[in-house]
Amino acid sequence: MKRVIQICDRAAFVLFGVIFGIITAAAFAALAFFKKKRHGAGPVNELSFAVFDLISNKYSSMFEDALLNGYISKHHYIYLDFNNRYDRFEKMEDKIFFYSVAAHPDNTLYNSGFTMMSMLFTELKILAAAFRIARRENISFVKAHDPHLLGFNGLMVSRWFRLPCVLHMNSDFGMKYRGTGKVSAPIFISRGLEKLFESAIINSYDIVMADRKFYSKSASFPKRSLRKYRAFGVRVERLHYSDPDSRKDLKGAMGLDNKKILLYVGRLHPVKYPEDALKALAIIRRSVGDAVLLVAGSGILEEPLKEMARREGLQESVIFLGPKKYEELIDILYTADLLLAPHGGVTLVESALASTPIVTYDFDWHGEFLEDGKMGYIVPFRDVRTMAEKAVDILKDESLRLAMGDYCRKAAVSGYSRERSIENEKTIYDSLMSI
């Protein structure tokens, strides 16, 4: 019976998908005869297809980031939610609106085994919500946060309403595939098909933007779109810019006086390689016997990592803190002697702002941010032994550690200011709406 349901599910998905494609193509062909809408004078209202859940993950400078210090009048987010059963909506001071669309709610075809049809109906529900917002709220431009389903949705809305559109890149999807062996968008059966779709979406957007230069250098980024790539600069939550001297050293409170504290911050997911931090700790402790590792984050690898720590005899030296709020993280980063960052993301900036040196892989955007030998060390990708050796060099030389920490703070403050990043992003939107 399960096999029959799967066959029917796929057949119905293809049939309705083809019908949907034909209707869409016909509608867009008809629209080609009409003049393209442009944003004129007046408030700037944004519609974003988001890749993260802003309802559940609020932070103190959210308004500043979302509204760019008043540049954006209203910001409407639509988020595809795989974790909650029901659609959610939240309004914040009549300026920021969150629409969380449940991807797998109860009482749907999904529970009956019709997973692909459920996905299609969810997609139609997302588009219906986006079309209502775009029609009602005088949207100025559309933004999507990945070149897959979100990018497709953003393109649909922007073309239908003749609005300028910007794609916000957040990952090197080819690199992610090499690390996990899985495509980023489940609808695609191979990385080759996913890459073709990505290229088509990226090439169709008016501007492609990111907080770093790195994504444009990816082998999977289409070369014909390089001319429209804009990097506005990484910025992190405002709390991280607070003076390190105003933060709390938690060693005493955590019972870790006289310990050398290593820190891993991030998702416990295969794409982040958190297991390498534990492997490095095992090597580090041969030279620095009082070294401990704090792990701040959660994810599917949490239990396997705890089992790994037990198996390697590290259960007393690895402390799993779980996910931490920004208010807690700024003190944890300050308390650490060193950050181990196999795949660090913006955590590199957060650590540097806490005057905490870093040992990381030559991977992702790490080399774009970290000055090797001054802010810490960059070691070959997945070379755990060299990562451990460089960590030992820092932990055993307190004057070196402090000098690197001071340089980290100065480099992060001068090169990654929130104000400059916000102004750069405003400039990108100005150019977008003048296309």
Side-chain angles (χ1 to χ4, degrees):
M1 184 63 181
K2 183 178 179 180
R3 180 60 178 168
V4 173
I5 290 176
Q6 288 179 339
I7 293 173
C8 292
D9 180 35
R10 292 176 182 175
F13 177 81
V14 171
L15 175 62
F16 282 97
V18 169
I19 294 173
F20 175 71
I22 292 173
I23 293 173
T24 301
F28 282 113
L31 282 171
F33 293 100
F34 297 95
K35 185 178 180 181
K36 188 171 183 179
K37 175 184 175 181
R38 293 291 181 184
H39 175 70
V44 178
N45 298 325
E46 177 178 349
L47 171 61
S48 288
F49 290 88
V51 72
F52 40 82
D53 185 358
L54 289 169
I55 296 179
S56 302
N57 297 285
K58 301 172 187 175
Y59 55 94
S60 60
S61 56
M62 177 183 289
F63 279 100
E64 186 178 345
D65 283 340
L67 303 176
L68 299 178
N69 286 333
Y71 177 89
I72 304 293
S73 295
K74 290 184 179 180
H75 200 155
H76 301 264
Y77 288 95
I78 296 182
Y79 168 68
L80 183 59
D81 193 346
F82 289 92
N83 298 315
N84 291 286
R85 295 179 177 179
Y86 305 106
D87 297 348
R88 295 176 295 159
F89 169 75
E90 185 166 339
K91 179 174 68 174
M92 298 180 67
E93 296 187 7
D94 293 325
K95 293 181 179 180
I96 301 180
F97 305 84
F98 301 140
Y99 306 84
S100 176
V101 179
H104 299 154
D106 282 346
N107 303 319
T108 67
L109 292 172
Y110 186 85
N111 291 327
S112 301
F114 290 88
T115 56
M116 298 186 76
M117 282 301 296
S118 176
M119 182 173 60
L120 180 58
F121 285 127
T122 301
E123 164 67 3
L124 293 175
K125 187 164 63 171
I126 290 171
L127 283 175
F131 273 52
R132 285 195 302 271
I133 294 167
R135 184 178 64 250
R136 185 181 65 228
E137 299 295 339
N138 192 30
I139 295 299
S140 307
F141 68 93
V142 178
K143 179 167 71 178
H145 284 262
D146 75 31
H148 302 128
L149 181 61
L150 300 184
F152 173 77
N153 290 340
L155 198 61
M156 290 278 287
V157 175
S158 69
R159 292 295 182 262
W160 185 270
F161 290 95
R162 302 307 177 99
L163 296 170
C165 55
V166 58
L167 183 66
H168 189 158
M169 295 291 289
N170 61 73
S171 184
D172 179 338
F173 299 101
M175 182 183 70
K176 183 184 290 187
Y177 177 77
R178 291 190 296 272
T180 64
K182 297 180 179 179
V183 293
S184 298
I187 192 173
F188 300 112
I189 59 175
S190 71
R191 173 57 194 160
L193 182 60
E194 183 180 60
K195 184 178 177 181
L196 285 174
F197 189 89
E198 282 171 11
S199 295
I201 293 294
I202 291 171
N203 290 330
S204 298
Y205 269 74
D206 297 319
I207 287 179
V208 181
M209 61 184 267
D211 60 0
R212 64 202 73 178
K213 300 175 184 176
F214 173 75
Y215 301 133
S216 66
K217 300 175 182 177
S218 166
S220 60
F221 190 88
K223 298 299 181 284
R224 62 179 287 192
S225 289
L226 286 174
R227 58 181 175 76
K228 57 185 178 183
Y229 189 93
R230 309 283 188 275
F232 57 86
V234 172
R235 63 177 180 268
V236 297
E237 216 290 323
R238 181 168 288 283
L239 287 173
H240 287 290
Y241 293 85
S242 62
D243 192 317
D245 291 338
S246 68
R247 308 187 194 193
K248 298 176 183 177
D249 188 328
L250 302 176
K251 281 188 177 182
M254 300 178 75
L256 298 175
D257 283 325
N258 303 316
K259 298 288 187 180
K260 295 294 185 182
I261 297 182
L262 304 163
L263 176 64
Y264 170 89
V265 178
R267 287 181 296 141
L268 304 184
H269 188 278
V271 76
K272 292 294 186 179
Y273 311 104
E275 67 274 18
D276 287 10
L278 272 71
K279 293 176 183 177
L281 174 67
I283 299 172
I284 291 166
R285 284 182 58 81
R286 298 171 192 168
S287 301
V288 184
D290 59 351
V292 298
L293 175 67
L294 305 182
V295 179
S298 62
I300 60 174
L301 290 183
E302 184 169 350
E303 289 305 317
L305 288 172
K306 289 180 178 178
E307 175 57 32
M308 178 182 174
R310 287 190 291 269
R311 190 172 62 249
E312 299 296 328
L314 297 171
Q315 62 268 32
E316 301 300 322
S317 304
V318 182
I319 302 173
F320 290 86
L321 303 176
K324 291 297 176 182
K325 297 178 180 179
Y326 291 112
E327 294 83 355
E328 302 170 292
L329 189 56
I330 60 170
D331 293 331
I332 294 170
L333 284 164
Y334 177 70
T335 299
D337 294 298
L338 178 68
L339 180 77
L340 289 181
H343 185 184
V346 300
T347 303
L348 301 185
V349 181
E350 296 169 348
S351 179
L353 287 167
S355 297
T356 301
I358 302 158
V359 179
T360 190
Y361 287 146
D362 186 7
F363 182 65
D364 202 276
W365 82 299
H366 300 174
E368 181 180 333
F369 172 73
L370 193 75
E371 293 185 56
D372 187 36
K374 292 185 176 181
M375 303 168 70
Y377 294 110
I378 299 177
V379 303
F381 181 55
R382 303 307 300 271
D383 187 344
V384 174
R385 179 166 295 279
T386 302
M387 172 178 273
E389 290 171 352
K390 291 298 184 181
V392 169
D393 289 345
I394 296 173
L395 294 175
K396 283 193 165 186
D397 189 339
E398 184 64 6
S399 62
L400 173 64
R401 192 187 73 81
L402 291 174
M404 284 183 165
D406 287 342
Y407 193 89
C408 277
R409 172 73 184 182
K410 292 174 183 175
V413 169
S414 63
Y416 292 85
S417 84
R418 286 182 55 81
E419 291 71 20
R420 186 182 306 120
S421 173
I422 287 174
E423 289 304 315
N424 290 343
E425 191 171 347
K426 289 180 185 178
T427 300
I428 291 172
Y429 296 147
D430 283 339
S431 64
L432 171 69
M433 291 184 290
S434 65
I435 291 175

